[in-house]
């Protein structure tokens, strides 16, 4: 008698090495999986909830300054080094991995207004209220040596901002005018003035490296070309812009932080209306910095919060605040796209994660896959009300929350009034002005 | 302006001639001073400069004197108006015969242009323009104000910057649309790097290293880029892309053909039919002979060798009893041959093989030998045939049999049709098969020829080979002519028998034909009858169906296709079938639709009546009543509502399973008790919201618990609901997708490297993009080379 035994080839279900994934004999026929949508919905919901659970963005605070932190600079060649200048003229170099100050130097009398690291990373420049530009070595002086700047340039007026060219030995300062300096000379190689103003910030375009933009106190943003003798164009807005930042990946976009609680992203070719108006802050925005990928930017505000905006979205995706953080004066996004650094009034520098719920460090392949999958799920179901509710929920300090509400009411009231005026006047006499156009007064050629 | 330029020229020339013509210059300078005695300071200064440049000592005194004179004149207070004018250094250039005649005059534009007309180097256009300029009396417009000019300057600069920046548009768009962006942008490819890129100034230091490198360099092995040796690189360079492509295509084709050929050979090897193989072997032998003849011409030595081989094999064959009638099989066949046609034939075939194998080859090489041996050969052949005849002693008429088997092969070309007509017996089939085989052979030879062609092309021997083939063919014919010649005699002897046999066969066939004719209709020719027969044999599906339909008809006539009456009967049958089919083609409603259609009575009558008298103007109500005459809205609504209510009412679920717990089977119903137990009544639903609202239907479908989780409005990027729903419906997880799909779908949009600094986009990206956009053969070639 022959006995038939059920037998299978182990090759069909046993993996070759233990590093392989398990063989899963599975039928992917969609007819056999009727509940796929609901199952994925549950997964997405769980992923969203977990994201909120793990969202702990605050990493560390760097304590040591004896006055408010007025400016910061990223090291161009080193991720773990940060420079910060305070209102008492002190400059500190920080080691971010160890959370400690490695060097302190008294750079100026009065405020350190601006600071920038040379593209090679061997030295840095500072400007201060004492009308000087100083160049310092990045390395600490040896034992017994005195802390002395490499170069000191005495200016006629106070310098308020500073930026360095991406590749050349050229830097720009702003004060009463915008000056372009050669590192080897003690007088500017070019000065731009356009009416009598004081400028608050000047920035080189990191992509088209010969272009600059500056914010002036006459509520204008002025564009320059380093090679030309005259400025290029100027846009005047309803309120003053404090700082601006160019997109490091897209040559013609820049974002400015404005006193009217908003940020504006402009296309430099079409200054007559901003591309996007970013609103969410409830007080003046003091500083802005792009992520190195050019996809997002972070803004620091007088309302004691930091917000992260996608570059083409009108509202922020994230808001960071802590109880003790006062007015945030300066902000930087680290050049590996992982961290955010904020310097605030109460003498502290804070280190944040750029993605609040992201796990830091090296991920195992399976961890990474799971993270990617849950990210995609969240994206897929982001419009579903429950998921949306959880994903968008943020805790805000009471005053900011109420101020937001108040602003909303004010805005609505204004809108209603305008609508009523339009309704009761001759058709066409009260034109509809879009939000983008509202804030631009004029463009001066 | 003009003066200044003049001065420059003069200065230059002065410097040139400064050393060589000192004296002349001195003299000239004298003259100038004399003339210019009362000129102003400026003149003096100029002259002074000139002279100092010469560094002439003699001139020193002169100058002093001149200075003195000048000072005196200045005291005199005589001042000229031409203060701004500078004297020309040109006055001193005596060697060019320029005199200072018009020194004090103004230079006009016409003076300058005058020379222009004479010089041919100046283009005519410029001349014309200058003339126009001279003629025009307009005043030049005053320059723009500073603000205006600055504005224009700014505008131009801005336009320039804007166009410069706009070059990035393509890259920005591309990055915005990209499914995945990997940062930092210009990452170095991972993997091992060549040594010289990692270490710039590396040298072999240890003796072992030196030895190794000496070896490598001696053998021209690469030690920097460990991919290609110099010779390989040279060969790479030698071969162009086009050539390589052509060669590759050729090789591909050859490989494909070879594979076809191999497959065919495999297929053929599998064929079990002995007959087939016999024919095949025969063909091969023929082929071989052909080749041999060829070889005789081209390579006699090899041919001789071959000949000796053949001789050897012939000898072996003659010695062995392999194809004789003494084997076990042959004996058994011999016994059977009396009764079995097949056995007889098989034996015949075997003997034929023997004959062929033992036959002597006739070649041009050994003509003499052949002549010598001719008689012997004949003797050899003849006895063989005799042997055949003798061997077939069991059969009644060996001679006839021998010819019978040969007959079909002779006839096959002439009248195969007749053979087929003879019947589906053994006689007809081999002929057909042979034909098929021949066709196959033709195919095969084609392929072989192609293969051979490739070979020949490589060797550049095309023309030669074609010649050879042609000659080979001719020879083959000769050989064929020779062979029959050898066996002519026997044929003559046999012809009598064959003719007799043929006569008998013909007579029999004729008789059959007569019978058939007698039976068949006058209209049916012999050929047509045969054709129909053939049709009967080929049973397609349709035929089978037809036959099934016509079974009663077929039953009436006994099916015997060999017999003419049967064919006669069958022909009408098929005709009938055809007719039936024709009739069937049109679908008949009555047959298809078994149920009768209901005739719907449409209540149109009243409206038609109304239309008949249009003079009457009905009022609004009447119109509406007319328009909705057909339907009763209220009752429809009530019906709808009742339907909805019914749908909402829970149904009684019957879960009784027959046969469980009691007997089951046909005509057995589960017991009442059981039915009562397993019939489940659900609780009555909550009252409908529209229960007391007679004219309202409130839908109960909306589930508030679910609607909390549902999307209310179409989200932004989507165009329509279908789009959104489809994205939601397609799952992402690995439960529903393959590993690869999951990986592809869950790729993050932005990928960054841990601990890497992301630099801003560099200008090089723009260049890279442009390079990619421009199609370049060279670049692709380069990349290919790099790959190799």
């Amino acid at each position: 008698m022959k006995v038939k035994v059920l037998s299978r080839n182990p090759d069909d279900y046993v993996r070759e090495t233990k590093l392989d994934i398990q063989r899963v004999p599975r039928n992917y026929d969609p007819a056999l999986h009727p509940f796929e949508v609901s199952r994925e919905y549950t997964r997405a919901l769980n992923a969203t909830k977990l994201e909120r659970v793990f969202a702990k963005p605050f990493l560390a605070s760097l304590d040591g300054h004896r006055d408010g932190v007025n400016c910061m600079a990223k090291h161009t060649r080193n991720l773990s080094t940060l420079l910060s200048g305070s209102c008492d003229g002190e400059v500190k170099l920080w080691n971010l991995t160890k959370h400690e100050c490695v060097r302190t130097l008294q750079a100026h009398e009065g405020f350190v207004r601006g600071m920038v690291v040379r593209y090679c990373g061997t030295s840095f420049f500072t400007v201060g209220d004492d009308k000087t530009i100083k160049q310092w070595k990045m390395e600490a002086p040896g034992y017994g040596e005195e802390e002395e700047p490499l170069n000191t340039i005495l200016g006629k007026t106070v310098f308020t901002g500073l930026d360095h060219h991406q590749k050349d030995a050229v830097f720009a300062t702003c004060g009463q005018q915008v000056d372009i300096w050669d590192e080897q000379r003690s007088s500017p190689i070019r000065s731009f003035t356009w009416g009598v103003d004081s400028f608050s910030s000047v920035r080189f375009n990191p992509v088209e490296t010969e272009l600059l933009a500056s914010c002036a106190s006459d509520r204008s943003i002025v564009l320059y070309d380093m090679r030309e003798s005259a400025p290029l164009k100027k846009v005047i807005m309803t309120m003053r812009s404090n700082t601006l930042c160019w997109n490091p990946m897209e040559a013609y976009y820049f974002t400015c932080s404005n006193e009217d609680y908003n940020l504006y992203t402009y296309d430099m070719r079409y200054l007559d209306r901003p591309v996007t108006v970013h609103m969410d802050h409830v007080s003046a925005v003091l500083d802005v910095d792009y992520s190195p990928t050019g996809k997002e930017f972070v803004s620091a505000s007088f309302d004691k919060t930091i917000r992260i905006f996608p570059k083409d979205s009108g509202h922020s995706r994230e808001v960071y605040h802590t109880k003790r953080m006062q007015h945030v004066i300066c902000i930087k996004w680290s050049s590996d796209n992982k961290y955010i650094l904020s310097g605030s009034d109460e003498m502290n520098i804070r280190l944040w994660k750029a993605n609040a719920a992201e796990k830091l460090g090296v991920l195992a392949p399976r961890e990474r896959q799971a993270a990617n999958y849950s990210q995609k799920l969240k994206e897929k179901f982001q419009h579903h009300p429950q998921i949306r509710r959880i994903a968008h929920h943020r805790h805000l300090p009471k005053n900011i929350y109420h101020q937001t509400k108040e602003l909303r009411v004010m805005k609505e009231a204004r809108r209603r009034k305008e609508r009523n005026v339009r309704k009761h006047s001759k058709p066409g006499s009260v034109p509809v002005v879009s939000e983008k156009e509202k804030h631009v007064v004029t463009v001066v050629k | 302006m003009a003066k200044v330029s003049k001065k420059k020229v003069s200065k230059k020339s002065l410097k040139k001639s400064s050393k060589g013509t000192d004296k002349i210059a001195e003299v000239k300078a004298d003259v100038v001073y004399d003339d210019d005695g009362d000129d102003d300071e400026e003149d003096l200064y100029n002259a002074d400069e000139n002279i100092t440049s010469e560094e002439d000592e003699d001139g020193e005194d002169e100058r002093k004197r001149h200075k003195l004179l000048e000072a005196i004149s200045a005291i005199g207070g005589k001042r000229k108006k031409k203060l701004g004018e500078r004297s020309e250094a040109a006055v001193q250039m005596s060697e060019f015969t320029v005199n200072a005649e018009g020194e004090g005059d103004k230079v006009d534009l016409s003076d300058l242009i005058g020379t222009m007309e004479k010089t041919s180097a100046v283009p005519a256009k410029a001349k014309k323009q200058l003339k126009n300029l001279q003629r025009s009396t307009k005043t030049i417009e005053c320059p723009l104000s500073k603000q205006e000019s600055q504005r224009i300057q700014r505008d131009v600069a801005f336009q320039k910057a804007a166009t410069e920046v706009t070059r990035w548009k393509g890259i920005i768009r591309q990055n915005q649309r990209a499914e995945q962006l990997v940062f930092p942008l210009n990452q170095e490819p991972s993997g091992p790097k060549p040594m010289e890129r990692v270490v710039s100034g590396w040298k072999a230091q240890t003796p072992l290293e030196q030895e190794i490198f000496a070896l490598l360099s001696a053998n021209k092995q690469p030690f920097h880029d460990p991919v290609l040796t110099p010779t390989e690189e040279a060969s790479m360079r030698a071969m162009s892309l086009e050539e390589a492509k052509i060669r590759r295509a050729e090789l591909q084709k050859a490989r494909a053909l070879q594979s076809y050929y191999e497959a065919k050979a495999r297929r053929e090897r599998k064929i079990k039919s002995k007959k087939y193989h016999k024919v095949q072997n025969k063909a091969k032998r023929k082929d071989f002979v052909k080749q041999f003849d060829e070889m005789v011409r081209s390579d006699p030595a090899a041919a001789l060798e071959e000949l000796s081989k053949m001789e050897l094999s012939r000898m072996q064959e003659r010695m062995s009893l392999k194809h004789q009638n003494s084997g076990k099989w042959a004996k058994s066949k011999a016994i059977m041959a009396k009764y079995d046609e097949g056995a007889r034939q098989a034996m015949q075939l075997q003997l034929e093989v023997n004959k062929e194998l033992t036959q002597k080859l006739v070649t041009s090489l050994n003509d003499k030998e052949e002549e010598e041996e001719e008689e012997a050969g004949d003797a050899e052949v003849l006895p063989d045939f005799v042997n055949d005849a003798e061997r077939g002693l069991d059969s009644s008429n060996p001679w006839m049999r021998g010819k019978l088997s040969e007959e079909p092969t002779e006839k096959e070309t002439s009248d195969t049709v007749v053979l087929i007509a003879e019947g589906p017996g053994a006689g007809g089939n081999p002929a057909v098969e042979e034909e098929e085989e021949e066709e196959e052979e033709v195919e095969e030879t084609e392929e072989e020829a192609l293969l051979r062609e490739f070979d020949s092309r490589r060797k550049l021997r095309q023309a030669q080979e074609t010649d050879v083939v042609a000659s080979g063919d001719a020879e083959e014919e000769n050989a064929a002519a020779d062979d029959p010649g050898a066996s002519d005699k026997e044929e003559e002897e046999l012809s009598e028998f064959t003719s007799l046999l043929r006569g008998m066969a013909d007579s029999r066939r004729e008789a059959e034909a007569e019978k058939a004719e007698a039976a068949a209709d006058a209209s049916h020719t012999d050929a047509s009858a045969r054709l129909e027969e053939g049709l009967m044999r080929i049973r397609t599906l349709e035929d089978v169906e037809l036959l099934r339909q016509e079974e009663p008809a077929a039953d009436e006539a006994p099916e015997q296709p060999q017999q003419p009456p049967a064919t006669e009967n069958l022909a009408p049958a098929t005709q009938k079938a055809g007719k039936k089919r024709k009739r069937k083609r049109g679908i008949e409603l009555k047959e298809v639709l078994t149920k009768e259609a209901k005739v719907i009575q449409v209540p149109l009558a009243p409206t038609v009546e109304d239309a008949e008298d249009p003079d009457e103007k009905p009022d609004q109500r009447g119109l509406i009543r007319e328009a909705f005459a057909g339907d009763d809205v209220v009752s429809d609504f009530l019906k709808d509502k009742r339907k909805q209510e019914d749908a909402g009412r829970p149904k009684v679920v019957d879960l009784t399973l027959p046969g469980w717990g009691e007997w089951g089977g046909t005509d057995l119903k589960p017991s009442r008790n059981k039915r009562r137990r397993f019939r489940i009544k659900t609780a009555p639903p909550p009252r409908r919201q529209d229960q007391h609202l007679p004219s309202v239907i409130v839908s109960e479908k909306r589930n508030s618990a679910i609607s909390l989780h549902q999307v209310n409005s179409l989200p932004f990027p989507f165009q329509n609901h279908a789009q959104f729903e489809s994205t939601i419906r397609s799952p992402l997880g690995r439960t529903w997708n393959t590993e690869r799909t999951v990986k592809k779908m869950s790729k993050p949009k932005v990928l960054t490297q841990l601990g890497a600094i992301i630099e801003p986009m560099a200008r090089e990206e723009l260049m890279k993009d442009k390079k990619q956009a421009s199609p370049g053969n060279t670049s692709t070639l380069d990349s290919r080379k790099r790959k190799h």
Side-chain angles (χ1 to χ4, degrees), chain B residues 108 185 190 211 236-237 243 276 330 357 361 401 421 559 612 615 649 661:
Chain B
D108 244 0
L185 283 174
S190 59
E211 209 172 308
M236 282 292 298
R237 249 176 277 127
E243 225 175 281
Y276 170 78
L357 285 175
L361 262 175
R401 189 160 23 89
E559 224 178 284
E612 274 174 2
D615 302 338
R649 207 167 287 148

Side-chain angles (χ1 to χ4, degrees), chain B residues 184-346:
Chain B
L185 283 174
N186 38 7
Q187 278 178 6
E188 282 197 4
S190 59
K193 287 168 201 160
M195 186 178 60
E196 79 271 10
R197 211 181 293 167
V198 181
V199 191
S200 54
W202 189 81
K203 268 190 174 182
Q205 283 169 342
T206 62
L208 178 67
E209 280 171 351
Q210 279 166 357
E211 209 172 308
I212 287 170
F213 276 80
L215 255 177
L216 283 176
S217 58
N219 292 328
K220 281 188 178 179
Q221 290 295 320
F223 46 84
H224 279 316
D225 191 4
V227 187
L228 292 178
T229 61
T231 49
E232 279 170 341
E233 267 176 357
S235 70
M236 282 292 298
R237 249 176 277 127
M239 193 155 67
S240 76
L241 181 63
E242 292 300 305
E243 225 175 281
K245 271 182 183 168
I246 291 165
R247 190 176 141 68
R248 199 182 61 169
E250 225 169 63
L251 278 174
Q252 264 177 351
K253 194 169 183 190
R255 228 174 292 136
L257 277 174
Q258 195 177 353
S259 74
Y260 296 154
Y261 187 68
E262 276 170 4
K264 197 176 175 190
R266 222 173 292 135
R267 213 164 53 234
E268 274 168 3
R269 225 187 307 128
K270 265 189 185 170
I271 294 172
K272 280 180 181 165
S273 160
K274 275 183 182 162
K275 202 172 281 167
Y276 170 78
H277 283 294
K278 266 171 212 161
V279 171
Q280 202 72 354
N281 287 338
K282 206 174 172 185
K284 264 182 203 163
R285 243 173 283 141
K286 230 192 240 172
D287 211 41
F288 175 73
V289 169
K290 226 190 274 176
Q291 277 180 356
F292 179 74
D293 283 344
E294 206 173 285
M295 213 189 278
V296 166
R297 277 192 194 169
S298 60
D299 193 4
L304 258 179
E305 212 169 286
E306 281 293 306
L307 196 72
S308 63
K309 259 189 212 168
M310 267 152 60
E311 199 65 23
L312 195 71
S313 69
R314 199 172 76 91
M315 273 153 72
Q316 272 172 352
E317 178 64 26
R318 283 174 68 193
M319 276 161 71
S320 78
L321 299 170
K322 207 175 176 189
H323 293 106
Q324 308 290 346
N325 47 9
S326 54
K328 209 183 205 177
W329 176 83
K331 274 175 185 165
S332 71
K333 283 284 158 189
I335 294 162
M336 290 295 289
K338 201 172 184 181
Y339 315 102
D340 191 2
E341 185 85 3
R344 236 177 293 160
Q345 219 155 10

Side-chain angles (χ1 to χ4, degrees), chain A residues 57-62 99 349-352:
Chain A
F58 181 70
L59 288 175
S61 99
L62 309 177
H99 303 170
I349 296 166
R350 289 192 167 75
L351 182 64
W352 309 82

Side-chain angles (χ1 to χ4, degrees), chain A residues 26 40-41 43 77 194 208 227-229 231 233 248 252 335 369 372-373 376 380 385-386 445, chain B residues 153-154 158 160 164-165 167-168 708-709 728 730 732-735 746-747 758-759 761 763:
Chain A
R26 173 164 286 142
E40 286 218 318
Y41 176 77
R43 283 180 196 179
R77 294 267 165 259
W194 193 348
E208 279 292 331
R227 297 159 293 191
E228 306 287 342
S229 58
K233 219 173 202 180
Y252 42 75
S335 25
Q369 276 173 18
N372 288 347
Y373 175 50
K376 283 286 159 182
K380 183 183 168 186
Q386 291 300 306
K445 277 184 184 172
Chain B
Q153 211 177 332
R154 279 198 301 261
F158 175 76
K160 220 165 94 185
E164 203 175 324
V165 155
R167 289 179 308 165
W168 290 94
L708 263 180
H709 295 271
I728 291 295
S730 58
L732 301 170
R734 62 186 69 243
T735 323
S746 63
K747 260 197 313 192
I758 301 168
E759 298 280 353
M761 194 171 278
R763 284 258 173 80

